[in-house]
Amino acid sequence: MKVSLFITCMCDIIGSGVGKHTVELLEKAGCEVDFPEAQTCCGQPAFNSGYLQDSKKAMKQMMRAFKDAEYVVGPSGSCVGMLREYPKVFRGDPEWEEQANNLAAKSYEVTQFLVDVLGIEDVGATFNGRVTYHPSCHMTRVLGVKDAPQKLLRNVKGMDLIELPLAEDCCGFGGTFAVKNSVISGEMVKEKSQHVSETRAEYLIGGDMACLYNIGGRMTREGKNIKILHITEVLNHQ
Amino acid sequence: MGLQIGDTSFKDRVQEGLKNDFMRQAVSSAQGRLRNGRLSAAEELGDWEDWRTLGEEIRTHTMENLDFYLQQLSEQVENRGGNVFFAETAEEANEYIKNVVKKKNGRKVAKSKSMVTEEIGLNEALEDVGAEVVETDLGEWILQLDEDPPSHIVAPALHKNRQQIQETFENKKGYQKTDKPEELALFAREQLRKEFLSADIGITGCNFAVAESGAVTLVTNEGNARLVTALPDTQITVMGMERIVPTWEELDVLVSLLTRAAVGQKLTSYVTSVTGKRLEEEIDGPDDYHLVIVDNGRSKILGTEFQSALHCIRCAACINVCPVYRHVGGHAYGSIYPGPIGAVLTPLLDGYEDHKELPYASTLCAACTEACPVKIPLHEQLIRHREIIVEKENMAPTGEKVAMKGYANWASNPAAYKMSAKMARMALKPWTKHEKISNGPGPLKGWTDVRDFPAPSKQSFRAWFKERQKGEQT
């Protein structure tokens, strides 16, 4: 199966390791992965801040980049969730509506793609350690992916998966919120950090790097010893 | 008091909230209790998602035919000898009610909890004409004694703990017992009983008016609305114009959703429906009945992309799950409608000028949207508000506008994007130490004030992928 990787700007520039694991994971699952180089950012920073017109420029670029893709798969519930919102943004736009519908319909978050499209729940990974999982808000509530990551993680051998208290609560990232309302964001991430500590996990796993950077960045600031891992890194571990 | 609370800036109100440990503890434990209650009540009912869909359909249908149902309601009330007044503004509503009180020579007004009367500032208006107004909902009464605004739409005194309540009772009413909830409640009950018996005017809000019968339904746990509607000879109901259902059948659905979503109960202790004044063949009921239907900006919302905000049944489920509300508390919103629904509704009712920060007081985590029993897409409406603030009202900070223009150019130009991917690590190098940035420049500062920021990768993904492809080819 041919898959076009939607890397997300954050994983392209800041967390490039996530992309490598995603590619390897998809290849192990039998996919042929290509990388359309014209892709940039999904538009979410501008869209969520109220800059609709500015965000559309980014969105159009993404629609051009993935025009010919069969499947678009990305390592972020939030960014894929944005692609899935394109039809609402371009509804009634004669030039872009069809492309928006087309891109939304073929876009998947990586765990969602593995479980729902490929029907894989056990990727044959082994990972030794005490871990906890933070289900990001946009992954679960905007994209609606709740079970896929859990199913995949439960089948990883050697792993001690501890439930995170109040896991569904937002970590306080919220895109530009983290900067615009950094004081409130700080209080939220302190609370999340506290919950992660309660699990005594060595690793915090998540499906969205932005949330992981937020929580992990707070935890290192507090001098706590925890390693953040994108779920693909765990699933690609032997 | 009106819709707006206080006149300090949003930033100051947030600071005020964050340093109030008492409040934060009270809010956090109340949120935990209320949201777990809602979840178990929803589970017990079964098919919660179907119920939500039904709730949404009923509210959508009612709003789309609001003129018809309001007409039907007012005919029904008038047929039973009641008076109906449509108030376009808060002032008109207050003026009408003041006149009724004056005409009746009313000295004491007993009120049951009502957000719309808070919104229009009715208490102050009545006090201006010399009437004594007594709030009879326990939480509202505490706040009235303390001259404190509500911080939650269902549990208005949520931000207070029992020590603070004991103090208020002691200072304002000569209470001399402990802070045990039972003793505090008994004291309030004794005090309020006297007020009920001596009031000449009863004023209530309205959870739902039933258009087909002209009945007004009130949902309470304390029974105070029953006393307010049973004792005084003159009765006034004040309702927001959207608080209406077509028939008893829809009332059943919405009350089921409301009590479960609000307090996790199958039903509250009292669900009271009152239908106007005493008719000749009836043995009791008020001599005089008035229904005041308040617009106060609501009709302007009809027909806009925000129409579903009028679907709100004031259950506060969105407030009870909101992580921002948990930390800053209700007063930080500067509106009697706090939390996600408050952030949506307040700018619609009172304009953006004084409330432009509210739509941004959210991470868009969508917990509110998921919790709403009538499926209002709250987090999406917050984005719509942001769009209006930026693109129509032109209220965004200049620096932000410039940054977003830059973003748009960057994200629509793959070559520029590629270059920045290559340069990012070097550009941030002066601030990078041990692969992290703890004291970032410019917009990063807000981030690094509270947490570390990761250093960009040594090699971008796209560079790695290209190299890998080349390797495969050779």
Side-chain angles (χ1 to χ4, degrees):
Chain A
M1 189 176 286
K2 233 183 130 190
V3 169
S4 295
L5 179 69
F6 161 36
I7 183 62
T8 78
C9 61
M10 186 158 280
C11 290
D12 193 359
I13 301 171
I14 298 175
S16 62
V18 174
K20 302 172 197 175
H21 292 296
T22 307
V23 170
E24 288 175 11
L25 191 60
L26 288 168
E27 285 176 348
K28 276 188 214 166
C31 301
E32 187 191 324
V33 183
D34 72 357
F35 180 75
E37 284 211 14
Q39 65 179 286
T40 57
C41 169
C42 64
Q44 195 173 184
F47 180 77
N48 281 357
S49 304
Y51 292 80
L52 180 63
Q53 298 314 319
D54 288 328
S55 76
K56 280 183 176 177
K57 290 184 188 164
M59 294 174 186
K60 288 174 186 172
Q61 182 60 33
M62 294 297 273
M63 288 190 273
R64 281 191 286 265
F66 289 108
K67 199 167 187 291
D68 300 323
E70 197 176 326
Y71 286 102
V72 176
V73 177
S76 159
S78 186
C79 307
V80 172
M82 184 73 253
L83 301 188
R84 294 261 184 129
E85 295 288 304
Y86 284 14
K88 278 191 203 166
V89 177
F90 291 96
R91 189 174 297 153
D93 183 323
E95 199 186 338
W96 294 96
E97 185 174 17
E98 204 187 316
Q99 286 201 58
N101 293 342
N102 178 282
L103 178 56
K106 65 188 180 186
S107 295
Y108 295 88
E109 184 274 332
V110 60
T111 64
Q112 178 189 31
F113 184 72
L114 288 169
V115 174
D116 295 350
V117 179
L118 299 180
I120 299 172
E121 291 186 12
D122 186 350
V123 291
T126 303
F127 189 90
N128 292 312
R130 188 179 171 91
V131 308
T132 193
Y133 173 75
H134 170 64
S136 292
C137 303
H138 285 183
M139 171 99 87
T140 55
R141 288 188 282 262
V142 173
L143 190 61
V145 174
K146 289 191 174 171
D147 299 336
Q150 303 276 2
K151 281 181 184 163
L152 291 162
L153 284 176
R154 275 197 296 270
N155 286 319
V156 174
K157 285 162 206 70
M159 198 167 77
D160 195 4
L161 179 60
I162 312 296
E163 199 181 325
L164 179 64
L166 293 179
E168 70 282 9
D169 278 10
C170 177
C171 69
F173 169 59
T176 50
F177 176 86
V179 175
K180 223 176 153 95
N181 272 305
S182 76
V183 178
I184 308 174
S185 169
E187 294 304 310
M188 290 167 71
V189 72
K190 279 180 206 168
E191 190 183 6
K192 182 60 78 177
S193 158
Q194 175 62 34
H195 291 316
V196 174
S197 297
E198 284 165 22
T199 66
R200 292 182 291 113
E202 306 157 77
Y203 301 94
L204 171 65
I205 301 172
D208 272 282
M209 283 319 287
C211 313
L212 289 179
Y213 287 140
N214 180 41
I215 309 169
R218 177 64 206 173
M219 294 186 80
T220 58
R221 178 63 63 87
E222 291 173 356
K224 288 175 177 169
N225 191 15
I226 190 141
K227 196 168 167 7
I228 54 166
L229 289 177
H230 190 268
I231 189 165
T232 52
E233 187 164 352
V234 178
L235 298 177
N236 190 36
H237 199 271
Q238 291 300 321
Chain B
M1 187 177 306
L3 185 73
Q4 194 173 339
I5 302 173
D7 49 13
T8 52
S9 72
F10 175 71
K11 211 174 147 193
D12 288 345
R13 297 195 305 263
V14 166
Q15 283 300 346
E16 197 71 20
L18 290 178
K19 67 181 190 212
N20 187 344
D21 290 337
F22 266 142
M23 179 279 286
R24 288 177 69 179
Q25 212 159 25
V27 171
S28 168
S29 74
Q31 266 199 336
R33 215 169 45 241
L34 289 167
R35 77 166 164 184
N36 288 333
R38 175 179 58 83
L39 290 173
S40 42
E43 198 181 305
E44 185 210 54
L45 183 65
D47 308 322
W48 181 246
E49 287 310 307
D50 293 343
W51 279 88
R52 288 178 77 213
T53 305
L54 189 56
E56 182 193 22
E57 283 168 6
I58 292 171
R59 293 304 283 152
T60 304
H61 166 84
T62 312
M63 284 313 110
E64 278 168 7
N65 299 281
L66 189 58
D67 51 347
F68 173 81
Y69 289 119
L70 284 173
Q71 179 70 30
Q72 193 184 19
L73 172 71
S74 65
E75 278 167 16
Q76 290 300 323
V77 171
E78 281 167 353
N79 285 345
R80 292 188 55 98
N83 304 287
V84 179
F85 180 70
F86 282 90
E88 201 182 323
T89 62
E91 293 72 31
E92 276 182 27
N94 288 335
E95 212 46 47
Y96 179 85
I97 299 165
K98 277 199 285 196
N99 281 333
V100 172
V101 172
K102 274 198 279 192
K103 221 184 275 173
K104 292 282 161 183
N105 221 355
R107 292 173 314 277
K108 187 177 281 185
V109 177
K111 273 184 73 203
S112 74
K113 183 177 159 7
S114 148
M115 287 310 295
V116 70
T117 59
E118 294 274 357
E119 177 189 320
I120 63 176
L122 178 63
N123 291 12
E124 290 80 357
L126 290 177
E127 281 157 7
D128 281 351
V129 293
E132 184 192 348
V133 183
V134 184
E135 292 288 353
T136 65
D137 170 84
L138 178 55
E140 287 285 351
W141 188 58
I142 294 164
L143 296 180
Q144 190 183 27
L145 293 177
D146 229 10
E147 293 173 45
D148 199 13
S151 71
H152 187 279
I153 60 174
V154 170
L158 184 86
H159 57 288
K160 288 198 187 300
N161 61 25
R162 58 190 189 178
Q163 287 84 12
Q164 290 169 317
I165 294 166
Q166 180 198 19
E167 233 167 78
T168 302
F169 283 4
E170 202 176 286
N171 295 339
K172 301 287 166 80
K173 287 280 165 185
Y175 176 71
Q176 287 180 337
K177 291 191 172 167
T178 70
D179 65 358
K180 267 199 188 147
E182 295 81 0
E183 288 182 353
L184 291 167
L186 184 63
F187 176 76
R189 192 185 167 96
E190 286 163 1
Q191 296 283 316
L192 287 170
R193 193 54 61 117
K194 290 186 263 176
E195 309 286 8
F196 286 122
L197 291 168
S198 57
D200 11 61
I201 313 265
I203 299 184
T204 72
C206 164
N207 287 100
F208 301 104
V210 182
E212 69 168 351
S213 70
V216 162
T217 300
L218 298 156
V219 177
T220 78
N221 267 324
E222 294 169 25
N224 60 314
R226 280 218 171 157
L227 286 166
V228 169
T229 52
L231 296 173
D233 279 339
T234 300
Q235 290 291 328
I236 304 170
T237 302
V238 188
M239 65 177 272
M241 67 184 274
E242 81 286 13
R243 314 305 299 279
I244 187 169
V245 289
T247 73
W248 295 100
E249 213 172 314
E250 289 84 24
L251 178 78
D252 181 13
V253 176
L254 291 179
V255 169
S256 296
L257 286 168
L258 172 62
T259 58
R260 283 179 169 84
V263 279
Q265 289 173 255
K266 277 188 216 168
L267 211 53
T268 44
S269 306
Y270 301 91
V271 176
T272 306
S273 285
V274 284
T275 313
K277 65 188 261 186
R278 177 168 53 87
L279 299 180
E280 258 178 47
E281 66 275 19
E282 293 172 345
I283 49 166
D284 54 18
D287 293 337
D288 197 12
Y289 178 75
H290 301 264
L291 175 64
V292 179
I293 300 172
V294 178
D295 181 335
N296 202 29
R298 287 163 174 75
S299 57
K300 278 190 305 191
I301 306 171
L302 282 172
T304 71
E305 54 193 340
F306 294 104
Q307 181 162 308
S308 66
L310 293 174
H311 296 177
C312 176
I313 59 172
R314 302 289 190 272
C315 71
C318 61
I319 300 175
N320 298 338
V321 296
C322 179
V324 171
Y325 177 89
R326 174 156 68 251
H327 291 288
V328 302
H331 291 166
Y333 291 81
S335 163
I336 58 157
Y337 299 118
I341 185 64
V344 169
L345 213 48
T346 306
L348 293 173
L349 295 176
D350 201 31
Y352 289 99
E353 186 60 44
D354 294 328
H355 309 286
K356 58 181 178 296
E357 294 89 357
L358 296 188
Y360 295 93
S362 165
T363 59
L364 307 177
C365 78
C368 47
T369 302
E370 187 183 55
C372 178
V374 292
K375 293 193 178 177
I376 304 171
L378 289 157
H379 75 285
E380 292 179 13
Q381 295 201 338
L382 291 174
I383 300 176
R384 296 293 90 75
H385 270 316
R386 294 178 186 188
E387 283 166 15
I388 292 171
I389 289 168
V390 169
E391 294 182 350
K392 287 208 183 113
E393 301 285 331
N394 201 17
M395 285 175 169
T398 311
E400 186 184 282
K401 284 192 279 189
V402 172
M404 287 299 174
K405 278 274 165 291
Y407 166 83
N409 291 334
W410 170 77
S412 55
N413 180 343
Y417 172 96
K418 190 176 163 189
M419 179 60 82
S420 72
K422 202 172 166 184
M423 304 298 289
R425 187 177 169 85
M426 204 159 52
L428 286 172
K429 205 165 179 194
W431 294 274
T432 308
K433 216 172 164 182
H434 307 301
E435 289 302 300
K436 66 184 187 205
I437 298 158
S438 299
N439 196 5
L444 264 188
K445 190 182 176 301
W447 180 281
T448 57
D449 278 349
V450 278
R451 72 226 111 185
D452 297 327
F453 191 81
S457 304
K458 286 177 183 146
Q459 184 184 33
S460 70
F461 170 81
R462 62 181 59 218
W464 173 82
F465 193 84
K466 204 161 199 174
E467 258 181 39
R468 185 178 189 252
Q469 266 179 324
K470 270 189 199 155
E472 276 166 10
Q473 278 161 11
T474 51

